[in-house]
Amino acid sequence: MTELKLRLKEGSTDKIVKVHQDVFTIGRLPECDLYLPFGGISRYHARLVKKSDDVWIIEDLGSKNGTHVNDTMITGPQEFHHGDVIWLGNVSLLVILNDHSPQAPKLFGDGEQRTILRNVKQLQQSWIEAEGKEGSDSNKDKTIARLKDLVDIAKNLSAAASIEEIFSQVQKVVFRYLNSIDRLALLIDVKGCSKLELMSAGVRVTSSEKNLSADGSWVSRSICQKVFEEKIAIQIADAQSDERFASEYSILINDIRSAMAVPLWDENKVVGVLYADAHLSSYHWEEEGEQELSFFSALANIVASSVQRWLLAEKLKNEEVIRQRLERYHSPAVVQQLIEVGALPDGRLPPQESEISILFADIVGFTAISERMTPTQIAEMLNHLFEEMLQEVFAYGGTLDKYIGDCIMAFFGAPEQQPDHAERAVAAAQGMLIRLEHLNANNFWQEPLQLRIAINSGKAVVGDVGSSQRVEYTALGATINLASRLESICPPGECVVSEATYQLLNSNSAFYEMGEYRFKGIDRLVKVYQTKMHQP
């Protein structure tokens, strides 16, 4: 007797509906057998009619949006089959037809025996022992051939530089010896967060499978996740008869019958899963199933080492890219710390609110100076000066935000928290002024240069901001705006700080109060303090 079920998917809704009667109505009214109170569904939308034990048809009942079977709108009674998708508006119903006839062929006897779950380490040893005990010369030859291939693939994989090369080697061996397999996929936990990503997939050339989905929709994620988390090997002779997997969407929609999955286990760490499936139930697995699963597992163990090497190479490559980018903003010591603590998801620093001290430093009279210089000379002067000043910023654990013309914008307190960010900013400012005095004394440039430096402290949003084409690590907020305004009242060769910064300093004897000022865009008086280097 054939049982009809419908798997309902609408937004986040996902449930199994059993069809018990021979005429089954679907619509938006509560009296329908399947009540769907969703937009696009008519009051009486469609009905299912049982014509014989294993034949069902669907009829549209004059609905506004029509009824589709797969991609075709029906214009009259339409027969449907297992795996078809019925669309009513935006609601989809996956057809599940389970044959419980007593004449249905059995593969392994009872349901539990249709699926093999084995400890991976035991499988690797049992395969060799089981093959070795076979008395047949053909079986011994088969074992020797397989062992030779495992040795060869181990040699080839050691030289593989990409995941595509690794998969290509594995695919050749799998399709050569496991005749029941139609498709093969390699999934890897690339980011080390227990989330498997499909890396490569292949289909047997002689397979009837025409379209191999690039998105991996045909891979059973629940089987792979179970293998990955529990460190077991799974072989399912008839997935649609095993209650643990029979209702999974990928198995149903792709009509998967048999499947095999083993973990890529490198020592004590699982780095991925090797997955294979077929459309036909594997009857021969009743005799050879465990041996094939053992071989598949032994192969995966070799692959795991290559995948682990590839992951390490990718990690080093990504870290180098991250390091080169971040060293534009941070001192080498800070960059190393960020990489070691893993604070860089996808190589980016997400924006977050931080307590910081922001520093602006620009050249006094730059416009007049640049009038007397060629563009090449201006660039040369700025490059030399910025290189010297940045050493003071980095020496106190500061972060370069950007260069704005002749201005240096830097901050302290992010990305790593620094409770003494105000002290660091002031020390860096004093170091910049002293360093510039020494440079001028040694005729650093054609004429002496001076800086104005302003510092403000407070909350700001700090992180990577921009588009997919260009990203900048920067600080945003009112704290930054005030620091920029403060610079306009700073005397040449001095440093000024806001009251917020002044209050955070452990020793503020190096500053005296200049007075209260009003700045554009700020609706309050701001008390400002100046260094005593040239106190009037």
Side-chain angles (χ1 to χ4, degrees), residues 392-412:
E392 295 296 332
V393 173
F394 284 172
Y396 293 96
T399 294
L400 172 67
D401 189 306
K402 62 175 69 70
Y403 300 118
I404 310 170
D406 65 312
C407 176
I408 297 173
M409 177 180 171
F411 54 83
F412 301 78

Side-chain angles (χ1 to χ4, degrees), residues 3 5 21 91 96 115 134 143 179 213 223 233 248 263 265 324 343 379 384 406 408 430 457 480 514 535:
E3 181 182 52
K5 297 178 183 177
Q21 57 266 50
V91 179
I96 306 169
T115 300
E134 297 288 343
T143 302
N179 296 324
S213 301
I223 292 177
E248 192 192 343
W265 197 352
Q324 290 175 0
H384 289 174
D406 65 312
I408 297 173
Q430 292 172 338
S457 304
I480 289 80
M514 287 179 62
Q535 181 179 352

Side-chain angles (χ1 to χ4, degrees), residues 221-470:
R221 295 287 173 165
S222 64
I223 292 177
C224 291
Q225 202 62 38
K226 185 177 181 67
V227 166
F228 181 82
E229 292 174 358
E230 299 181 19
K231 300 181 179 67
I232 58 172
I234 293 180
Q235 184 184 69
I236 306 172
D238 193 343
Q240 300 190 25
S241 297
D242 191 317
E243 293 181 357
R244 288 168 292 191
F245 307 108
S247 62
E248 192 192 343
Y249 187 76
S250 61
I251 289 176
L252 294 167
I253 197 67
N254 291 288
D255 196 26
I256 295 172
R257 289 288 176 177
S258 57
M260 225 172 13
V262 293
L264 302 179
W265 197 352
D266 185 34
E267 297 180 354
N268 295 320
K269 183 179 180 182
V270 177
V271 296
V273 170
L274 195 60
Y275 173 88
D277 67 24
H279 286 95
L280 299 176
S281 298
S282 294
Y283 292 94
H284 75 281
W285 280 351
E286 185 171 2
E287 296 292 335
E288 304 175 6
E290 191 149 346
Q291 293 177 19
E292 293 202 349
L293 183 60
S294 298
F295 174 72
F296 200 51
S297 180
L299 177 61
N301 192 51
I302 296 173
V303 175
S305 297
S306 297
V307 169
Q308 185 73 339
R309 284 197 301 273
W310 175 80
L311 285 171
L312 180 59
E314 288 296 300
K315 180 182 178 183
L316 294 175
K317 190 187 304 181
N318 291 337
E319 284 185 2
E320 184 57 31
V321 171
I322 292 169
R323 185 184 300 278
Q324 290 175 0
R325 187 177 79 84
L326 291 183
E327 282 183 350
R328 295 166 51 198
Y329 309 109
H330 313 291
S331 67
V334 172
V335 172
Q336 184 60 35
Q337 183 180 9
L338 290 172
I339 291 175
E340 287 177 356
V341 300
L344 299 164
D346 300 322
R348 290 194 174 194
L349 289 162
Q352 59 183 8
E353 190 173 273
S354 303
E355 285 282 346
I356 68 169
S357 288
I358 186 82
L359 178 152
F360 282 88
D362 69 1
I363 301 173
V364 176
F366 176 73
T367 301
I369 294 173
S370 62
E371 287 292 328
R372 302 190 294 271
M373 300 166 60
T374 66
T376 301
Q377 289 175 323
I378 294 171
E380 184 182 355
M381 178 190 73
L382 292 177
N383 285 338
H384 289 174
L385 182 64
F386 288 162
E387 183 69 29
E388 293 287 339
M389 297 302 104
L390 198 58
Q391 290 186 44
E392 295 296 332
V393 173
F394 284 172
Y396 293 96
T399 294
L400 172 67
D401 189 306
K402 62 175 69 70
Y403 300 118
I404 310 170
D406 65 312
C407 176
I408 297 173
M409 177 180 171
F411 54 83
F412 301 78
E416 289 296 293
Q417 291 184 359
Q418 296 167 331
D420 59 343
H421 54 82
E423 297 280 355
R424 291 170 180 265
V426 168
Q430 292 172 338
M432 292 166 75
L433 294 173
I434 294 171
R435 181 181 285 257
L436 185 55
E437 286 185 356
H438 291 162
L439 291 172
N440 286 330
N442 293 313
N443 299 315
F444 167 72
W445 198 246
Q446 302 168 3
E447 56 186 286
L449 300 177
Q450 288 183 302
L451 290 177
R452 287 190 180 92
I453 303 178
I455 301 171
N456 184 33
S457 304
K459 290 184 180 298
V461 174
V462 183
D464 281 330
V465 177
S467 66
S468 57
Q469 284 77 32
R470 181 188 174 98

Side-chain angles (χ1 to χ4, degrees), residues 519-533:
F519 299 98
K520 182 180 178 181
I522 299 173
D523 58 357
R524 60 184 174 84
L525 289 172
V526 178
K527 190 175 290 187
V528 181
Y529 296 81
Q530 176 191 328
T531 51
K532 292 181 178 180
M533 293 179 68

Side-chain angles (χ1 to χ4, degrees), residues 19 74 80 114 123 137 151 161 166 180 188 225 320 350 352 386 402 413 423 438 452 458 476 499 504 510 527:
V19 178
I74 64 173
F80 57 87
R114 290 191 175 93
L123 271 174
D137 289 339
V151 172
I166 293 173
S180 60
I188 298 176
Q225 202 62 38
E320 184 57 31
Q352 59 183 8
F386 288 162
K402 62 175 69 70
E423 297 280 355
H438 291 162
R452 287 190 180 92
L476 304 170
E499 183 177 15
L504 291 173
K527 190 175 290 187

